Amino acid sequence: MMKCTYGRLIRNIAALFILAVFIIPHESFAACKRGGGIFADKSISTTTISLPKDLVIESRDYNAGEVLYTSGVKDGSNDDLTITGCSSRYMVGFFYNHSPQVEATAYQGVMPTNIQGLGVQVMAYNQAGPYDGEMIIDNSWHDGDGSRGDHTLRSSSYMISLVATGGPISSGTLTFGSPVAQVDFRESASHSDDGDVASNLSLSNANVVVKAMGCSADVSAISFPFGKINLDQFNGQTKVGSVPTQDVNLSCEPGTNVSLSVTAVESKEDEANHTVIALTGAGNEGVASGVGVQLGLKTSGYDSGSNGLALNTSIPLITSNRDGGTVISGGASGQEKLTFSAIYYKTAAVVKPGTANATATLTLTYN
């Protein structure tokens, strides 16, 4: 009786031991891995994007969030990648790989770059389960879908955009490490835990020359002191007065387009194609009549000649030929000189004496 009972006990212990052998390894060796069938492609799904060689932008203050370039959504190299063996507690991470994107956020999901005022944003798509929609790369971990088994990334895709972070953007060479970003499947929120990188974004051109087109002027105002003009000089002449020209020197990003607008009150008697500025206080007692002021300008790419500068309209002074963000030819050189001139322009048959001052606002626009 005692012998028989002992035999059953041995068999029960053996059964329990065998059961433990099958249960414990299943939990201990759960790991998210790129896998699938015998013939499955187990390689990382790599999306390759070529950034533009040049990015031509305006020299101005930008609002945070303005998109200056976007690649559009590009598919990866493995359109049917399967992640297998994950436990129910697996995590999915959306991470940048290099500085300065790994350290900080510049503006609402936009990461800083080495160019002041310019950030980068990467979006991931079709990353399996709850992440098949649009997911921002933001250096964070997310819970998996809570299920065991296979997770398939069908046509894993990425998009990269260059975005203003607010304020001016400086010229320079924008550089990235590559791969720029990746999506991890791990058993916990750690890059070193069991699991694999499922997909990443690689750049075939990781250097972008950023050209903030613009110029800076060496003066903020110019004036033309005519002094006294004898009325007799207007007899038989339309243009009177000889004053030294005034130069405005510009320091420019080469290739910049430069335009000018002259904002001023136009003389009501102007018959010179809208180029004559009315005198200040015209029509008032003590102010000359029958005359206005006409400005002229000469640059490396523009000459108003005898026509004068048109008022209240944009005038292209220096232009370039561009192919996308690349300047093919033309545009401003590093240094440009704008030479302004001024004359009195007779607008009526009779010129009456008085003060003869005029003002205008000169606005230079760069792009």
Side-chain angles (χ1 to χ4, degrees):
M1 207 46 192
M2 291 291 292
K3 188 174 183 179
C4 182
T5 301
Y6 181 77
R8 288 196 201 95
L9 182 59
I10 291 293
R11 283 193 295 274
N12 288 339
I13 291 173
L16 289 172
F17 180 77
I18 292 171
L19 181 62
V21 168
F22 285 100
I23 291 174
I24 293 173
H26 180 80
E27 288 293 326
S28 298
F29 295 99
C32 294
K33 294 290 184 182
R34 298 189 302 273
I38 297 176
F39 301 106
D41 183 352
K42 298 178 175 61
S43 62
I44 294 174
S45 180
T46 297
T47 296
T48 302
I49 293 176
S50 180
L51 294 175
K53 291 175 57 180
D54 301 296
L55 181 66
V56 174
I57 60 176
E58 297 177 16
S59 180
R60 62 176 175 86
D61 281 347
Y62 284 85
N63 295 320
E66 287 190 61
V67 178
L68 304 179
Y69 164 83
T70 185
S71 66
V73 180
K74 305 294 183 182
D75 290 342
S77 58
N78 188 345
D79 62 4
D80 198 26
L81 174 64
T82 300
I83 303 295
T84 63
C86 296
S87 74
S88 60
R89 300 182 300 274
Y90 79 95
M91 306 290 287
V92 183
F94 297 81
F95 285 89
Y96 287 93
N97 294 329
H98 303 279
S99 293
Q101 290 83 42
V102 297
E103 283 96 11
T105 299
Y107 166 78
Q108 295 182 356
V110 176
M111 300 299 174
T113 68
N114 64 297
I115 296 294
Q116 180 67 36
L118 186 60
V120 61
Q121 183 181 71
V122 174
M123 308 298 295
Y125 304 82
N126 301 331
Q127 303 297 322
Y131 309 115
D132 276 333
E134 182 179 82
M135 292 295 297
I136 189 168
I137 302 295
D138 59 359
N139 297 328
S140 67
W141 293 97
H142 299 259
D143 291 333
D145 62 9
S147 65
R148 300 174 186 269
D150 296 347
H151 308 275
T152 303
L153 286 68
R154 302 195 186 281
S155 298
S156 166
S157 307
Y158 285 86
M159 178 173 72
I160 186 170
S161 301
L162 301 179
V163 184
T165 59
I169 298 175
S170 59
S171 297
T173 300
L174 178 64
T175 59
F176 290 104
S178 186
V180 174
Q182 67 187 40
V183 174
D184 286 36
F185 279 69
R186 302 285 175 179
E187 288 302 316
S188 69
S190 171
H191 294 293
S192 61
D193 202 1
D194 287 334
D196 268 337
V197 175
S199 66
N200 61 25
L201 171 61
S202 178
L203 299 177
S204 59
N205 173 35
N207 299 305
V208 180
V209 177
V210 179
K211 296 182 178 180
M213 292 304 187
C215 306
S216 59
D218 65 342
V219 296
S220 59
I222 54 175
S223 63
F224 296 93
F226 281 91
K228 294 182 179 180
I229 301 293
N230 193 319
L231 285 180
D232 292 343
Q233 294 184 46
F234 287 100
N235 294 335
Q237 296 188 72
T238 302
K239 299 179 180 182
V240 172
S242 177
V243 289
T245 59
Q246 299 291 320
D247 290 338
V248 176
N249 295 298
L250 303 179
S251 297
C252 302
E253 175 70 40
T256 296
N257 295 326
V258 182
S259 298
L260 169 72
S261 61
V262 181
T263 303
V265 177
E266 183 180 339
S267 171
K268 294 180 179 179
E269 301 168 311
D270 179 10
E271 296 180 358
N273 197 27
H274 308 286
T275 63
V276 179
I277 303 169
L279 297 182
T280 302
N284 294 337
E285 185 177 353
V287 177
S289 64
V291 67
V293 175
Q294 185 185 66
L295 297 177
L297 174 63
K298 185 175 182 179
T299 74
S300 63
Y302 174 86
D303 189 351
S304 64
S306 61
N307 297 320
L309 282 173
L311 303 179
N312 306 309
T313 188
S314 180
I315 304 169
L317 302 181
I318 306 172
T319 60
S320 66
N321 177 29
R322 298 176 182 176
D323 181 9
T326 302
V327 177
I328 305 301
S329 60
S333 60
Q335 301 293 320
E336 292 286 344
K337 182 169 69 173
L338 312 182
T339 301
F340 289 91
S341 59
I343 58 164
Y344 281 123
Y345 192 98
K346 185 178 179 181
T347 60
V350 177
V351 177
K352 295 182 180 180
T355 59
N357 299 319
T359 61
T361 300
L362 308 180
T363 303
L364 291 166
T365 303
Y366 315 112
N367 58 55

